[in-house]
Amino acid sequence: MLVNRKGYTPEHFSVQKLWKDKFFSNGILDNTIAVAFLIEEGDILNQLEQSNTKDNVIFSSNYDQLIDWLSKY
């Protein structure tokens, strides 16, 4: 699954946390082989990349990288 979140600019971290919690629900992760999130470069992307503990989830600002990763997962 590819989720395009380019342009996502939360006001503060708690908004970002709610968004992250929504997309990391067990229902979504249990029914999806892999999830790729397309996100603008910046602090949000850096924080998500560093805090990600899921092998089947990737965050990137590079669309081609995400498609390649999903295709090979």
Side-chain angles (χ1 to χ4, degrees):
M1 176 169 66
L2 177 65
V3 180
N4 185 347
R5 294 303 297 160
K6 279 208 166 184
Y8 171 73
T9 54
E11 295 292 320
H12 48 79
F13 185 79
S14 64
V15 174
Q16 184 270 332
K17 183 183 182 316
L18 291 173
W19 174 83
K20 184 178 176 185
D21 290 347
K22 175 181 175 182
F23 280 102
F24 280 85
S25 71
N26 288 335
I28 289 175
L29 293 178
D30 289 346
N31 293 292
T32 306
I33 294 171
V35 185
F37 292 94
L38 182 65
I39 300 178
E40 298 280 355
E41 288 195 31
D43 292 340
I44 297 167
L45 175 59
N46 293 340
Q47 194 280 328
L48 289 170
E49 286 178 322
Q50 292 170 7
S51 64
N52 180 33
T53 60
K54 308 286 185 185
D55 290 335
N56 63 335
V57 176
I58 188 174
F59 298 93
S60 177
S61 61
N62 183 321
Y63 180 84
D64 292 331
Q65 175 195 20
L66 294 174
I67 292 297
D68 185 56
W69 180 82
L70 280 173
S71 299
K72 293 178 180 176
Y73 190 83

